[in-house]
Amino acid sequence: EPWFASLFARLLAEVLPLWAECLAVLWWPGTQAEPAATLYAEAETVLAYGGSEALRQVRELVPPHTRLLGFGHKLALGLVGRRALDAQRGPATARLAAHDVARYEQQGCYSPHVFYVERGGRLGPREFAQHMAGELANLQQRYPRRVLALEEAAGVARWRHAAQAGLAEGDAWMAEVEGAWAVTYADSFRPLAPTAGHRCVQVVAVDALEEAVDALAPHAPFLQTVGVAVEPAALVPLSERRAAVGATRNCAPGGMSGAEAGWHQRCP
């Protein structure tokens, strides 16, 4: 934001020129009750998305007779099996995973924050993390991360400090010195948790992907996209297990932040 609303309005006017004079994109501070309350009272439906606090504020202003569709925080993650970690597919999968991290700067509900990587492949989880770090460095040269606002930069700094302080034996820290990207590698299991975003990601080694999937249940209300790279025979059983804990979308690494047309986030 704030570009998506303007781009949507322009594209809609191109597709349906008659709508060009019937559409407006307006802005006001989110902390102000007006003009939001007046507009909500006149609307048949209000669609809102953002953080939990932002949705709570909107909900308080929407009258009972107005329909509210709220889309809140969601979490995405990756699962990479040992059979996808041969000498050819392993580095390629890591590069695709890095693109999912960099696209939209992890500000979308499709954006991954953690990749669980299975041990036992030709390419180990640590090497997978190293390939991700290398691609994030390349992407920073080709598509530099924007300059962060003070609050965003402070959040990234706090996460980097906590991640480095929490390193245990066997873990690794791979990051750009000035903070443009960071990969932290955990050699033992870590529960799913969001990073600070802005190209910060965690790679966690596991003995079996089922271990990671079964640990997702406490996060069911927030689960959404899972990027999966496994052999075909394991895909359906793993997808069924993943669906049982609440995740709603499967795709391959590289396609996590490029949802198919017509697919939309689950609305509570």
Side-chain angles (χ1 to χ4, degrees), residues 1 31 48 58 61 69 78 81 97 104 112 152-153 159 162 187 189-190 206-207 211 224 231 233 238:
E1 297 299 0
T31 55
V58 171
L61 296 174
L69 297 178
Y104 301 118
E152 294 172 320
W159 181 85
D187 199 46
F189 184 79
R190 302 285 177 85
V206 293
D207 294 325
E211 173 189 2
Q224 193 196 73
E231 70 274 21
L238 193 65

Side-chain angles (χ1 to χ4, degrees), residues 1-10 25 49 146:
E1 297 299 0
W3 300 284
F4 282 142
S6 300
L7 291 173
F8 175 79
R10 290 181 181 180
V25 177
Y49 65 94
R146 65 175 174 83

Side-chain angles (χ1 to χ4, degrees), residues 101-102 104-107 111-113 136 140 145-149 151-153 155-156 159-160 179-182 195-201:
V101 170
Y104 301 118
E105 307 294 357
Q106 290 172 291
Q107 300 305 291
S111 302
H113 289 256
L136 286 172
Q140 174 62 16
R145 192 191 68 185
R146 65 175 174 83
V147 177
L148 301 183
E151 184 178 352
E152 294 172 320
V156 171
W159 181 85
R160 287 169 65 100
W181 58 267
T195 68
H198 304 291
R199 309 192 191 189
C200 296
V201 65

Side-chain angles (χ1 to χ4, degrees), residues 187-241:
D187 199 46
S188 57
F189 184 79
R190 302 285 177 85
L192 178 65
T195 68
H198 304 291
R199 309 192 191 189
C200 296
V201 65
Q202 187 171 33
V203 175
V204 179
V206 293
D207 294 325
L209 293 181
E210 289 78 9
E211 173 189 2
V213 174
D214 291 345
L216 297 177
H219 308 284
F222 303 101
L223 292 178
Q224 193 196 73
T225 297
V226 180
V228 182
V230 296
E231 70 274 21
L235 184 58
V236 171
L238 193 65
S239 297
E240 291 175 345
R241 203 162 185 156

Side-chain angles (χ1 to χ4, degrees), residues 16 32 45 47 58 74 99 108 136 142-143 147 150 156 191 208 263 266:
L16 295 170
Q32 293 184 2
T45 301
L47 188 152
V58 171
K74 295 294 179 182
H99 282 254
L136 286 172
R142 295 169 58 193
Y143 308 109
V147 177
L150 182 61
V156 171
W263 191 92
R266 179 179 57 188

Side-chain angles (χ1 to χ4, degrees), residues 46-50 55 58-59 67-72 74 265-268:
V46 174
L47 188 152
Y49 65 94
L55 290 179
V58 171
R59 192 172 291 112
R67 186 185 184 196
L68 172 63
L69 297 178
F71 297 89
K74 295 294 179 182
Q265 185 196 84
R266 179 179 57 188
C267 181

